[in-house]
Amino acid sequence: MAQRVRPTVLAAERVVPVSGMLEGLLPGGGLQRGSVTALDGPPGRGVTSLALHLIAATTAAGEWAAFIDLDGSVGGLAAAEAGAALDRTAVVRGVPPDRWAAVTASLVDGLTMVVAEVPSRCRASDARRLTARVRERDAVLVVTGAWPVEAALTLRAMGGAVTGAVGGEVDGGWSGLTPEGGLLEQRCLCVAIEHRGATRTVALAG
Amino acid sequence: MSAGSAERTCCVWCPDWPVVAWRQADDALIDRPVVVLEPAAGAPVVRAASIEARAEGVRAGLRRREAESRCPGLVAVDVDPLLEARAFEAVARAVESITPRLVLDRPGRCAFPTRGPARYFGGDEEVATQIMSAVETIGVADVRVGIADGAFPALLAARGPGPGATWVVPPGESAEFLASWPVGVLRLAGDTGPGSGVGSGVEESPDAAGALADLLVRLGMPTLGAFAALSESAVTGRFGRTGARAHRLARGLDEHPPALTRPPPDLTETAELDPPAQRLDVTAFAAKAMADRFSAALADRGLACTRVVVEAETEHGERLSRCWRHDGALDAPALAERVRWQLEGWFAAPPSRRSCARPRAAQDDAAFEESYEPSTAGIIMLRLVPDCVVPATGRQLGFWGGDPAAADRAARALARVQGLLGPGAVTTPVLQGGRSHDERVRWVPWGEPREPARPDRDARSGIDGDPAAGDAPTWPGRVPDPAPARVYEPPRPAELLDAQGRPVTVTGRGECPAPPAHLRSDVLPDGGGTIAAWAGPWPEDLRWWDRLTRRRRARWQILTDTGVAALVVLESGRAALEAVYD
């Protein structure tokens, strides 16, 4: 009976709202629950920062998040600077490749958002099984690295220096540190958002 | 037994059990000064020390370095609760040959009510002698036995005499016996073994009892007698539940008022294992889920469990059972931990010890052997039976707590991953004081208290009259913000070269004769590149007053022409990549 009288849930209500610098840029206003988002991009160009911002947006809404950190190097201070609630953020380290799928599935069962670095030899069958699990649990799985199947949404971090972005040319990248002196201050990060075949590029002021 | 008075109890205590267990496992440690270290906030501290180390002034709670400086040639080993539990199983069996109603506190300490055995053997002194010889037969040299009214006086009576002696406090004299002890011993009642910080969260931690003891000394009550002389209502009014509990102990009463009702039988939690579990981790995993359900069922009725019987049945029809007790109350992680200790003891009991532990009196040899061959068969059933329940004094959920169900779900999922990978694999960052980015974060295993090892700001500076000083960072020379998203610990190898392709150097004055021009590292995309801009070198001279731990480093913030920012550190002529601003 409870099943039958349960109110209808619209797709727009099944979204983890994303605030901060990504606000208003993602399709639907946030990350769709029950879907897989892929983060992509060459190393050093802001993939980790983007992942930490997604964690920050989720934990700020009172949800729980986990980060599967394969080489044990994610910076806790950077997570705090991005605005993550550290007491609701778990970082899982030392995951052997053969247990990666089991660990990720366990985390998806209980946490709203799981950011997982994918080991290099992730099987497509594991990936499909995880996708089904995520849909069933209404969680959000964010994968970085070589995800062998298609994801609902792809965010590609491209550092600075991209032409033809929305709003004209962007001379992105780090500011503050110049050959004349100074220190790193902030970064203008270019992100390409791929959703249902369409791609658009936006610049995020960090 | 009048209402409120305590049951006559015998406490069997093996001092420094972690050391004894390690020596049984590793012969090389015998006759050498040994300390067992447990992780604490910051550096590991000594949990137990051997008698040789104690003679040199090593005490529990010292940091490793201080212990080593007091006692040269010290051997330090890490705490291993499973090893301790396994080794103590032999002692538990030896004691069980004399009395069946054994209750384990933690590895190294157990207790039992003496009413039955004392009538059988003809007096408390006889029981103590029997226990002593039974335990010494299995090769444990230092064992102490104390008998008194109540668990706490018995525990103190066991600490009273020297090695190999017993102390029997006559019935009804527990209060007088306790009166002369310093209040600091209240701390012992809460000490429930390794990892107690994880499990003892429901009521109060040993720290609360310790803080109370310190306060009592400052209030002019150095002994338990002086504390017990206060009125109960005054103590409860001033010190709350912790004080009331300590006051009961000091007066020689049991910690909790005696339970008038038996625990309802439907609280018993049973799990059948099919196929039979042959390995510890499989069984322990099932036990963890059981412990969660068990605690939830108790919590639904507003009860908490202070004593639980762990029962197992094997394929061959053997039944094993053992009772564990916890000061305060057993919550789910503490319960799961005890079941794990117990299973470890059953699965891995060494056959030699088993034959040594054969009782010389009181019981049938054949029956004894039959009941203790568990490792021959897999375990088909596990059962948790509440032996002693008290009303739960409750745990207040956070006012801004959010969705408690979501928190529960997350905690369960993370605990499951900890079961798969080990507790240290799931961590959470805690910010703390420090200079470099890796020093400023402490990774705490999930479920442990989130406490920084070093303060971020100086707490004293706010008191000195200048309110603004309270906000001043006390870590001058910190690496400036923003924080890098990737911090490599230890730093990854890298090459920092000048325009001529020679490694960059820094002089003793912190100057750089040839500025850096190229950065190479496997971590960076395309293996590095030409440097577009840099800031530095920032020299750092740490602990220059100590010849052994002194470190001299210089750092650069570097931006390559491909737009990748990194932090490079130069130490003893070698460059390394410390962090990438990913």
Side-chain angles (χ1 to χ4, degrees):
Chain A
M1 191 65 187
Q3 289 283 323
R4 271 194 230 162
V5 299
R6 197 169 52 178
T8 316
V9 179
L10 301 174
E13 291 167 14
R14 296 179 57 240
V15 163
V16 179
V18 170
S19 54
M21 68 177 195
L22 285 165
E23 189 168 359
L25 296 176
L26 298 181
L31 295 170
Q32 201 74 34
R33 279 178 176 264
S35 75
V36 177
T37 301
L39 290 188
D40 198 3
R45 300 294 169 77
V47 180
T48 314
S49 297
L50 200 54
L52 293 177
H53 274 104
L54 292 178
I55 286 186
T58 314
T59 54
E63 306 282 356
W64 297 66
F67 194 115
I68 300 184
D69 182 17
L70 291 183
D71 68 347
S73 67
V74 69
L77 208 55
E81 266 187 13
L86 298 185
D87 53 347
R88 286 196 295 273
T89 306
V91 175
V92 183
R93 293 178 155 168
V95 183
D98 56 331
R99 287 199 171 175
W100 179 85
V103 168
T104 311
S106 305
L107 290 174
V108 164
D109 276 354
L111 280 76
T112 310
M113 173 183 271
V114 180
V115 178
E117 292 180 352
V118 181
S120 52
R121 285 190 198 153
C122 177
R123 285 190 307 241
S125 57
D126 279 345
R128 272 191 286 274
R129 211 169 296 141
L130 272 175
T131 307
R133 185 82 158 245
V134 167
R135 192 179 310 128
E136 181 192 340
R137 302 284 172 184
D138 264 359
V140 175
L141 177 63
V142 177
V143 289
T144 74
W147 184 242
V149 297
E150 202 175 335
L153 175 71
T154 302
L155 303 178
R156 183 167 293 127
M158 305 197 293
V162 167
T163 54
V166 173
E169 295 215 347
V170 177
D171 186 19
W174 285 98
S175 61
L177 183 61
T178 60
E180 289 77 45
L183 295 172
L184 288 181
E185 275 169 16
Q186 59 172 350
R187 171 166 58 182
C188 182
L189 180 63
C190 288
V191 178
I193 302 173
E194 287 178 31
H195 182 57
R196 293 187 183 156
T199 304
R200 64 194 181 112
T201 309
V202 296
L204 308 172
Chain B
M1 191 168 70
S2 67
S5 79
E7 191 173 25
R8 198 146 175 83
T9 306
C10 172
C11 177
V12 182
W13 179 52
C14 300
D16 296 322
W17 184 253
V19 175
V20 178
W22 264 104
R23 284 185 168 167
Q24 284 187 2
D26 186 357
D27 288 342
L29 297 176
I30 293 171
D31 293 331
R32 297 179 65 185
V34 178
V35 289
V36 178
L37 301 171
E38 68 174 338
V45 298
V46 174
R47 173 163 180 88
S50 71
I51 200 152
E52 296 87 355
R54 277 177 197 278
E56 301 285 336
V58 176
R59 295 282 174 272
L62 282 188
R63 290 199 170 204
R64 177 190 187 144
R65 182 163 312 158
E66 196 172 352
E68 281 171 344
S69 73
R70 286 188 189 186
C71 178
L74 190 68
V75 183
V77 289
D78 285 332
V79 67
D80 184 352
L82 287 182
L83 172 74
E84 290 169 28
R86 195 164 59 218
F88 198 66
E89 180 66 16
V91 176
R93 285 175 188 179
V95 176
E96 223 175 20
S97 66
I98 291 167
T99 171
R101 292 181 58 196
L102 183 66
V103 179
L104 273 69
D105 264 352
R106 60 165 193 195
R109 202 167 77 194
C110 61
F112 59 88
T114 62
R115 204 157 59 103
R119 285 204 354 217
Y120 184 89
F121 288 108
D124 286 336
E125 284 83 0
E126 269 303 305
V127 176
T129 320
Q130 290 281 346
I131 294 283
M132 195 72 108
S133 55
V135 176
E136 278 170 358
T137 313
I138 62 163
V140 177
D142 190 2
V143 54
R144 324 228 175 140
V145 178
I147 297 181
D149 295 345
F152 182 60
L155 165 65
L156 291 182
R159 299 182 83 88
T166 61
W167 189 338
V168 178
V169 179
E173 291 181 18
S174 279
E176 293 94 274
F177 166 75
L178 288 174
S180 60
W181 284 84
V183 285
V185 296
L186 286 172
R187 232 173 286 230
L188 296 172
D191 182 14
T192 49
S196 56
V198 184
S200 58
V202 173
E203 283 210 332
E204 55 271 316
S205 62
D207 296 346
L212 175 70
D214 289 342
L215 182 59
L216 289 176
V217 171
R218 277 181 277 142
L219 289 174
M221 282 172 283
T223 62
L224 289 180
F227 181 45
L230 301 177
S231 85
E232 189 171 5
S233 57
V235 169
T236 312
R238 171 67 179 78
F239 300 108
R241 213 173 60 225
T242 314
R245 174 174 166 257
H247 194 243
R248 282 189 71 85
L249 289 177
R251 282 182 299 158
L253 304 179
D254 257 348
E255 186 180 330
H256 300 285
L260 296 176
T261 52
R262 290 189 66 80
D266 57 333
L267 286 177
T268 300
E269 187 66 49
T270 307
E272 293 194 1
L273 303 172
D274 187 21
Q278 303 281 359
R279 294 203 339 256
L280 171 68
D281 50 350
V282 177
T283 326
F285 194 68
K288 210 163 185 177
M290 277 175 79
D292 283 340
R293 290 198 300 271
F294 183 76
S295 297
L298 282 167
D300 283 349
R301 293 169 177 251
L303 296 174
C305 184
T306 57
R307 254 182 12 199
V308 66
V309 179
V310 182
E311 285 184 6
E313 209 168 282
T314 69
E315 280 174 294
H316 294 176
E318 300 144 333
R319 294 186 70 158
L320 315 150
S321 90
R322 180 80 17 106
C323 181
W324 284 88
R325 158 179 175 281
H326 190 283
D327 297 286
L330 285 156
D331 56 358
L335 187 57
E337 191 174 40
R338 273 149 189 83
V339 177
R340 195 181 160 88
W341 289 351
Q342 191 52 59
L343 291 170
E344 174 78 12
W346 282 332
F347 268 111
S352 58
R353 299 258 173 245
R354 209 182 291 138
S355 55
C356 291
R358 188 180 293 230
R360 290 156 305 113
Q363 274 186 9
D364 182 5
D365 279 9
F368 181 84
E369 278 295 307
E370 187 195 339
S371 59
Y372 289 119
E373 289 288 348
S375 46
T376 59
I379 288 185
I380 55 167
M381 195 207 59
L382 264 182
R383 188 182 289 142
L384 296 176
V385 186
D387 191 51
C388 181
V389 293
V390 294
T393 37
R395 182 176 48 170
Q396 186 67 45
L397 291 174
F399 189 63
W400 309 107
D403 179 11
D408 274 0
R409 255 198 334 267
R412 270 203 301 277
L414 292 169
R416 200 174 321 135
V417 174
Q418 282 183 318
L420 281 172
L421 300 177
V426 182
T427 56
T428 173
V430 178
L431 303 187
Q432 62 180 11
R435 292 196 175 79
S436 66
H437 292 111
D438 59 303
E439 281 172 4
R440 286 172 65 188
V441 174
R442 175 166 175 247
W443 295 97
V444 181
W446 191 266
E448 285 188 12
R450 293 173 49 88
E451 281 163 6
R454 288 183 290 271
D456 195 19
R457 303 189 189 289
D458 195 344
R460 286 167 305 165
S461 55
I463 306 169
D464 289 342
D466 180 11
D471 291 332
T474 52
W475 296 94
R478 283 210 293 207
V479 181
D481 291 339
R486 290 282 174 188
V487 178
Y488 297 102
E489 175 64 35
R492 297 291 167 85
E495 281 183 77
L496 191 63
L497 309 172
D498 63 13
Q500 275 77 46
R502 289 171 311 209
V504 170
T505 55
V506 176
T507 66
R509 288 174 178 271
E511 286 161 354
C512 178
H518 301 280
L519 173 64
R520 292 208 192 106
S521 173
D522 294 339
V523 181
L524 297 175
D526 311 324
T530 313
I531 293 172
W534 47 270
W538 303 322
E540 188 178 69
D541 197 353
L542 295 176
R543 297 194 198 90
W544 44 265
W545 58 88
D546 187 350
R547 203 162 41 83
L548 292 175
T549 61
R550 180 181 187 184
R551 295 186 76 176
R552 301 182 68 194
R553 290 184 282 193
R555 281 198 183 81
W556 280 270
Q557 219 174 40
I558 281 174
L559 186 63
T560 66
D561 58 353
T562 50
V564 177
L567 201 62
V568 177
V569 64
L570 186 72
E571 186 170 6
S572 50
R574 262 196 297 278
L577 192 73
E578 195 177 66
V580 173
Y581 294 83
D582 185 13

